[in-house]
Each structure stands twice: as C-alpha cells, then as structure tokens.
Amino acid sequence: MSYHLLVFAPAAAPREPAAFGLWFQAQTEWPEHHDYEDPAVATLSLKAWCLDMMQRFPPRSGPYREELPPEDKSLLADYSIGRNIVFVAVQPAQAGAALEAARELAARHCVGLYEASASPAAVRLPDGNNGLQAAFDARPVMG
C-alpha cells in the first residue's frame, strides 16, 4: 500500500467537495494522450513543484529517474503527471516527510494539494500569502 498525494492547478479544480471528487476521479482515469512520467506536460507551476519534489523523492521511473538511486530506496516515488495534476505515491514509511514536503512546495509554487491518504483527507489551496489554507475535508472516490 502506498501513501498518495495529488497537487493540482487551482483554477482547473472545482471548489465544492462532491464536484471535486468527480473531477479527481475523471483526472485519474488518465484521459490525456501523452507520457504521464514527464513533468514537461504540466502547467509551469506544477512542473516546478514536481521537479522540486523529485529532488527529495526521486522518481522510480521516467525521464528524471536517476541512474544511481538513493541509498534509501524508500525515498523512491511514483509520479503520474497530467496537464493539471501531479499524482504521487510514496512508501508509507515516508508519508510524514512527503506530506511535509508537498505542503511546503505547494505553498511555494501556488498549487493546490489534495492529501488523499491523510485522515481526514483534505484539499488545501493557496492562500495568497505564500501559504495554504484548508478548503474542505474530502474523501473523493479513489477509482
């Protein structure tokens, strides 16, 4: 079992829990026709978030995979990247560190964060002051 996070372009996502759940489900059906391992397809802010996150949690595969993986293999993460989302799966042992990094980087890059595996699951949005604010608790269907 993995720990899941989703960052997203705030303008692309609904601001109401039920609509967000439907949007999330549609996004994670991966309907776009491109490579889902390359941050180049994402918005500029999502790409920047992703590249910073990959410095802390290197990708297991894709164009940014390191030839020599980190000594601690639990740091490796799986990234699925769309135009308006970046879905990340990390080892449960790294959940706290990944959530902390995701929050810090989401605030820095002004992207939304869906803490999919947190309890309770929460959606956070940029607050306009280099931080994040809780938008709503949610448990969108993991499809």
Side-chain angles (χ1 to χ4, degrees):
M1 182 113 195
S2 297
Y3 186 85
H4 300 112
L5 298 164
L6 176 87
V7 290
F8 57 92
R15 304 285 172 112
E16 188 273 322
F20 184 89
L22 294 172
W23 176 82
F24 171 81
Q25 190 170 20
Q27 294 299 303
T28 55
E29 288 175 6
W30 311 109
E32 301 167 11
H33 302 287
H34 56 72
D35 178 2
Y36 280 96
E37 294 184 324
D38 191 349
V41 303
T43 66
L44 291 177
S45 55
L46 286 174
K47 178 181 177 182
W49 180 93
C50 191
L51 293 174
D52 282 353
M53 189 72 167
M54 286 177 171
Q55 294 296 312
R56 299 177 192 192
F57 295 90
R60 189 177 311 282
S61 61
Y64 289 88
R65 182 180 67 83
E66 297 175 1
E67 289 301 316
L68 296 172
E71 205 168 291
D72 182 355
K73 303 273 191 279
S74 76
L75 291 172
L76 293 174
D78 293 311
Y79 293 84
S80 297
I81 305 160
R83 289 182 184 92
N84 292 305
I85 66 168
V86 177
F87 190 77
V88 183
V90 298
Q91 294 295 317
Q94 297 298 333
L99 181 56
E100 184 179 325
R103 284 180 180 167
E104 173 196 330
L105 295 172
R108 180 183 307 162
H109 295 293
C110 297
V111 296
L113 172 63
Y114 171 43
E115 300 169 359
S117 291
S119 183
V123 173
R124 300 185 185 283
L125 295 169
D127 66 6
N129 292 313
N130 297 318
L132 294 176
Q133 63 185 3
F136 50 84
D137 289 343
R139 178 60 64 191
V141 178
M142 299 284 288

